[in-house]
Amino acid sequence: MGFMDSIRSVLGISAETDATRDADPEDLFGMSTAYLTMEADLGFESVGAAALCFSSVDSTDFEETVEEVEAILKAGEEETGTDFRVQEDSHGWEWVVLEDDDPEDLVTSIHFAADEFIERGYGSRLLAAVFGFERDGDRAYWVYSFRRGAYYPFAPDRGREQNDRVLMKLESVLDGELGLESDKEYWYPMWPDREGGHPWQ
């Protein structure tokens, strides 16, 4: 299985049978309290950014949907100061990247964007929502898989290895607060294109 095939398998964009339940954008609001727990119990603070990953469709209607998402976020930008941009990575995935020092604004903006895709009939194109944290040089992320309808942790270390100690801590502390993916085969590491970058970079 090739690299991109494994990504599609894990994130579920090629296998309907992988879905455990329908994704619910309301699940994203679980991050509102998770941000507090990450800081209070684990010392991890927000990196001031989060992102929504989706796969595009070559159609005018989908382009209009993305434009509508941008319009919604533009309106929010004026109200909350949440900066955003839409970009493509080296794998061909599209990202809505949000930057704000207020984690609550990040969660709300991600929810608005995801909800618009779903309302316009493109919920199946949503892959993941990614929320970033850092502590003393360590990075950690919570990833919401839309196909699986569940969260899982990602803790990158040097050399494209995961920090198992951080992963175990995240799982033990947040289990019960977030709906976690029980099958760890679906804990796909979303490596950035460059060392030290975020998954959306």
Side-chain angles (χ1 to χ4, degrees):
M1 179 179 287
F3 178 67
M4 287 303 296
D5 289 335
S6 65
I7 292 173
R8 291 188 175 94
S9 176
V10 172
L11 289 178
I13 64 175
S14 64
E16 290 292 331
T17 55
D18 283 346
T20 53
R21 67 180 182 87
D22 290 337
D24 184 349
E26 299 302 307
D27 292 343
L28 298 171
F29 286 122
M31 285 306 304
S32 296
T33 59
Y35 272 110
L36 300 176
T37 303
M38 288 287 287
E39 183 173 358
D41 294 1
L42 297 173
F44 275 94
E45 296 184 350
S46 170
V47 298
L52 182 68
C53 183
F54 63 96
S55 58
S56 63
V57 178
D58 187 14
S59 75
T60 301
D61 187 62
F62 187 78
E63 290 176 4
E64 291 175 351
T65 297
V66 174
E67 289 173 359
E68 185 61 30
V69 169
E70 292 184 76
I72 290 171
L73 294 177
K74 184 64 177 176
E77 184 178 45
E78 296 173 0
E79 182 175 336
T80 66
T82 305
D83 294 326
F84 78 94
R85 64 184 181 276
V86 178
Q87 64 188 43
E88 182 177 342
D89 67 19
S90 63
H91 306 300
W93 294 353
E94 300 281 346
W95 294 86
V96 177
V97 180
L98 301 147
E99 296 179 344
D100 195 311
D101 290 334
D102 186 341
E104 190 68 34
D105 289 342
L106 292 174
V107 173
T108 300
S109 296
I110 287 251
H111 177 270
F112 279 148
D115 198 49
E116 183 64 19
F117 277 111
I118 292 169
E119 287 294 318
R120 293 286 296 257
Y122 292 108
S124 64
R125 311 307 297 180
L126 294 173
L127 303 180
V130 185
F131 303 88
F133 302 83
E134 58 188 355
R135 179 193 67 188
D136 299 329
D138 287 332
R139 286 263 180 87
Y141 300 88
W142 280 105
V143 181
Y144 180 75
S145 168
F146 283 91
R147 174 60 63 194
R148 302 287 294 176
Y151 285 93
Y152 66 89
F154 170 46
D157 211 342
R158 291 191 181 128
R160 292 218 164 189
E161 297 288 337
Q162 288 222 58
N163 190 324
D164 291 333
R165 176 182 54 82
V166 172
L167 278 181
M168 291 176 60
K169 195 68 175 174
L170 293 177
E171 179 186 13
S172 65
V173 172
L174 274 297
D175 188 21
E177 184 168 344
L178 294 175
L180 299 193
E181 171 58 63
S182 59
D183 187 344
K184 293 185 179 180
E185 288 187 6
Y186 291 92
W187 288 22
Y188 179 73
M190 301 188 75
W191 301 113
D193 286 341
R194 60 179 178 83
E195 184 75 23
H198 296 296
W200 52 86
Q201 294 177 323

